[in-house]
Amino acid sequence: MATGRTSAQFIAALRNREQLIGYWSLLDSPIAAERLARVGYDYLAFDAQHGLFGYQGMLHNLLATDTKGSTAVGVVRVEANDLTYIGKALDAGASAVIVPMIDNAQDAADAVAAVRYPPLGRRSYGPMRAQLRIGPNPADAHDQTAVLAMIETADGLANVEEICRTPGLDGVYIGPSDLRLAIGGATSTDPAVQEEFEQALVRVRMAAEAVGIAAGIHNADGESAARRLAEGFTFATVASDVVHLQQIATSHLRAARGEAR
């Protein structure tokens, strides 16, 4: 089993562009999160945008991630680029927030401001659970929390170089389903736009590398994550618990019936 990192160590590794591997969670199941946190992943990402989490679910899953034996820190994809959503995720103890639908440098600057306390930003002080493990001083919180901008829209791709140059931004994170639709895909997995999609990934990755920030991507499986890391992405997430639960259950059912897998 891998050695777990503190939030400060995780953020330092992220900012140093070290390779990190995470797992994506849609289910509001703290027991599942507790088990996943012990597998060896560097982070667990809880999806508050499209997942099944309310605030209590997000809080309880972050708590489960921090239990004995965990190798992972908790990351939250927030509901929107909103001061309140971002602040609540951080106050609950998230080590990093992934902010969706970033279209331009101003969007990215707004996300950064929501993560940083004054005078660097606009985060309201009330770190509830976070003060027990991140902070409680603003300078410590700035060192130990990160903000990642999702690149998943046509505007976000067109403006990715400017987005990456946003002061205080720690990294970018590709949402492949939305990005594929944004470049003209008929579905979230449309192979007809594969060449354009791969070109978009290179553009995002190179824009991040040029300014020395982290570059991450969402993946359907571990093999895909390994390929993207080999290409130069610095962190990769494997998704997700809902999909994998169905896949494994189906595989075992077929085996029990004597059907070919």
Side-chain angles (χ1 to χ4, degrees):
M1 180 176 286
T3 301
R5 288 185 172 97
T6 65
S7 183
Q9 291 168 334
F10 171 80
I11 298 304
L14 181 78
R15 290 174 176 163
N16 289 334
R17 291 175 50 85
E18 297 176 22
Q19 288 194 346
L20 299 166
I21 301 171
Y23 192 81
W24 196 263
S25 176
L26 296 164
L27 289 172
D28 179 0
S29 175
I31 294 173
E34 188 173 25
R35 285 180 172 266
L36 289 167
R38 297 168 65 93
V39 169
Y41 288 100
D42 296 301
Y43 61 94
L44 296 185
F46 301 107
D47 188 353
Q49 183 189 23
H50 293 305
L52 306 175
F53 299 92
Y55 177 77
Q56 289 298 319
M58 178 180 68
L59 174 63
H60 292 160
N61 280 271
L62 288 169
L63 283 163
T65 303
D66 291 335
T67 53
K68 182 179 180 181
S70 172
T71 67
V73 300
V75 172
V76 173
R77 174 163 71 172
V78 296
E79 297 172 64
N81 189 6
D82 179 272
L83 188 70
T84 299
Y85 293 144
I86 292 171
K88 291 183 78 170
L90 295 172
D91 289 348
S95 293
V97 289
I98 301 171
V99 184
M101 309 299 284
I102 298 297
D103 286 333
N104 50 53
Q106 184 59 57
D107 286 349
D110 289 343
V112 171
V115 172
R116 309 299 178 209
Y117 291 112
L120 302 180
R122 300 180 58 230
R123 180 180 174 187
S124 177
Y125 189 83
M128 295 302 96
R129 174 174 179 259
Q131 66 182 309
L132 303 177
R133 55 186 298 277
I134 301 173
N137 295 325
D140 296 328
H142 295 163
D143 285 342
Q144 298 173 33
T145 54
V147 54
L148 307 168
M150 288 200 75
I151 306 299
E152 54 185 346
T153 66
D155 285 343
L157 179 61
N159 297 316
V160 67
E161 289 81 12
E162 293 181 8
I163 290 170
C164 287
R165 290 195 293 269
T166 302
L169 187 68
D170 296 296
V172 288
Y173 185 74
I174 293 173
S177 296
D178 278 319
L179 184 60
R180 194 178 290 264
L181 294 174
I183 62 174
T187 69
S188 62
T189 58
D190 188 356
V193 295
Q194 189 64 32
E195 183 176 351
E196 295 90 339
F197 179 73
E198 294 295 334
Q199 290 172 352
L201 299 194
V202 172
R203 180 175 178 180
V204 175
R205 177 167 54 79
M206 297 301 292
E209 182 178 346
V211 295
I213 63 173
I217 186 168
H218 197 76
N219 302 273
D221 51 58
E223 290 78 10
S224 299
R227 176 161 55 91
R228 297 307 183 187
L229 289 170
E231 290 171 355
F233 283 94
T234 64
F235 68 104
T237 316
V238 179
S240 63
D241 49 9
V242 171
V243 174
H244 290 168
L245 178 63
Q246 181 176 350
Q247 288 175 343
I248 292 299
T250 300
S251 174
H252 284 293
L253 177 60
R254 289 176 176 171
R257 288 173 171 170
E259 300 173 358
R261 296 196 180 191

